[in-house]
Amino acid sequence: MSDAKRAAGEAAAELVEDGMRLGLGTGSTVAYFLDALAARGLDVTGVPTSEATAARCRELGIRLLDVATATELDLAVDGADELDPELQLVKGGGGALLREKVVESLAARFVVIATEDKLVDRLGDTFPLPVEVVPFALGPVGRRLEAVGFEIERRERDGAAYVTDNGNHILDARLPGGIEDPAVMDVELALIPGIAGHGLFVDMATEALLADGSGEVRRLTPRAAQT
Ligand code: 5RP
């Protein structure tokens, strides 16, 4: 699996050009991308989507760009927990979903890097949907999600509630049978007070680089972009 992640990360690093302003995702696949990017020695800047990515960039000498001054990014690269053939995504396994969505919304091009097994027919099939919730609203949001049919689990670390970089908690929400219409669910969740963000990324990815165990990488675009 790590060979496939490395292959996807390295393929994405080849897309980067000198002078680009980048969105830098979070996770183990992105770690390979960052290594390959640093090895290319290009003059680029990047907005990190997590404290972990920021720390890794500092180690690798990748210059960081403050999101406050980043109006438009040339390219964002990030992993995903699931993607469907339309390149709708479930993200947030690493807990960085909120900053990822903010940063990736600024990018002209958003490339997902993942292993082939992350490609599913229907989102929510294999992975629960991470929902980031302000601590005050954990109870009410949990009940609202259950009313919609989700089975929820509070994410924990070391026996306590997991805390995101934004000081929030995460509910991992599983919908039996998966998410029928990601665009509808995207809006439904946005209307629940107390949800700071959720891991459904609808119509955001412009392409995906999917790698298999042999290190072969194929490029996928949403069906709309193929016509
Ligand atoms: C972090 C994410 C990651 O992109 C996602 O969890 C995939 O991670 P990995 O590359 O380690 O499989 O959304 O919030």
Side-chain angles (χ1 to χ4, degrees), residues 94-206:
L97 56 148
L98 181 51
R99 293 191 187 188
E100 289 172 338
K101 198 177 276 186
V102 171
V103 171
E104 282 139 30
S105 73
L106 300 173
R109 185 177 178 192
F110 169 26
V111 177
V112 177
I113 48 175
T115 49
E116 284 279 358
D117 59 307
K118 304 264 183 98
L119 182 64
V120 295
D121 288 331
R122 178 179 279 208
L123 296 181
D125 265 354
T126 61
F127 205 86
L129 178 67
V131 180
E132 181 162 344
V133 183
V134 298
F136 177 79
L138 210 52
V141 169
R143 288 191 290 277
R144 288 283 292 268
L145 291 174
E146 283 173 337
V148 179
F150 282 103
E151 295 162 359
I152 57 164
E153 201 169 311
R154 188 185 73 166
R155 192 178 297 185
E156 302 204 341
R157 180 180 279 174
D158 302 327
Y162 177 88
V163 180
T164 70
D165 286 347
N166 314 301
N168 297 319
H169 299 318
I170 290 186
L171 293 175
D172 286 307
R174 190 176 290 282
L175 196 60
I179 297 168
E180 191 179 341
D181 189 333
V184 170
M185 183 61 72
D186 183 22
V187 174
E188 266 186 56
L189 294 175
L191 293 174
I192 300 178
I195 291 184
H198 62 77
L200 267 180
F201 284 43
V202 174
D203 294 342
M204 291 185 67
T206 53

Side-chain angles (χ1 to χ4, degrees), residues 29-48:
T29 318
V30 164
Y32 289 112
F33 165 71
L34 295 176
D35 287 347
L37 176 64
R40 292 195 60 202
L42 297 170
D43 181 18
V44 292
T45 50
V47 182

Side-chain angles (χ1 to χ4, degrees), residues 15-22 43-46 65 73-75 109:
L15 302 175
V16 180
E17 294 170 17
D18 228 24
M20 275 189 169
R21 292 151 70 92
L22 302 171
D43 181 18
V44 292
T45 50
L65 183 63
L73 302 171
D74 300 295
L75 170 69
R109 185 177 178 192

Side-chain angles (χ1 to χ4, degrees), residues 8 11-12 15 78 80 83-89 109-116 119 205-211 217-222:
L15 302 175
D78 202 353
L83 67 159
D84 73 11
E86 293 297 339
L87 300 196
Q88 315 296 27
L89 315 173
R109 185 177 178 192
F110 169 26
V111 177
V112 177
I113 48 175
T115 49
E116 284 279 358
L119 182 64
T206 53
E207 63 203 90
L209 297 173
L210 295 184
V217 180
R218 70 178 169 121
R219 179 172 173 272
L220 216 64
T221 52

